């Protein structure tokens, strides 16, 4: 084998080994994972289809999506995670008429 073929073989094996390593890391910890669950509206991407592409006549683009057709998710604010908000709900007993 020529030195050039050995170089190409080594490069290909390195790329394959890197891909396997990245896949194993992602399988253990999803990108939008962590302590908070994925947003159910955007499925963890942080982006949703913009209104301008839903009801358009073929042209896509507005200020909200900057022409991409994908806007930040309004449910998670573009983070992709459903962060729980601490809320305190107070319930008063109904007053009785005299």
């Amino acid at each position: 084998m020529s030195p050039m073929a050995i170089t190409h073989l080594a490069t290909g094996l390195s790329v394959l080994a890197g891909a396997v390593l990245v896949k194993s890391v992602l399988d253990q910890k999803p990108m939008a994972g962590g302590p908070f669950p994925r947003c159910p509206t955007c499925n963890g991407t942080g982006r949703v289809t913009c209104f301008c592409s839903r009801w358009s006549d073929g042209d896509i683009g507005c200020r909200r999506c900057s022409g991409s057709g994908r806007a930040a998710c309004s449910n998670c604010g573009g983070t992709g995670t459903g962060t729980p908000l601490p809320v305190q709900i107070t319930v008063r007993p109904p007053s009785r008429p005299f």
Side-chain angles (χ1 to χ4, degrees):
M1 283 173 79
S2 69
M4 188 68 123
I6 293 173
T7 303
H8 286 296
L9 181 63
T11 302
L13 289 175
S14 298
V15 169
L16 183 63
V20 169
L21 180 66
V22 167
K23 181 169 178 9
S24 69
V25 168
L26 289 178
D27 286 344
Q28 291 175 1
K29 182 179 177 189
M31 292 177 74
F36 304 115
R38 288 184 177 200
C39 173
T41 304
C42 64
N43 198 26
T45 63
R47 311 291 283 174
V48 292
T49 304
C50 187
F51 294 118
C52 70
S53 63
R54 291 183 191 170
W55 297 293
S56 151
D57 57 354
D59 58 340
I60 296 175
C62 68
R63 177 177 275 175
R64 182 174 181 235
C65 67
S66 302
S68 68
R70 306 279 294 164
C73 177
S74 59
N75 191 30
C76 66
T79 62
T81 58
T83 53
L85 298 174
V87 176
Q88 183 177 6
I89 299 174
T90 306
V91 178
R92 294 181 185 167
S95 61
R96 297 183 183 205
F98 292 103

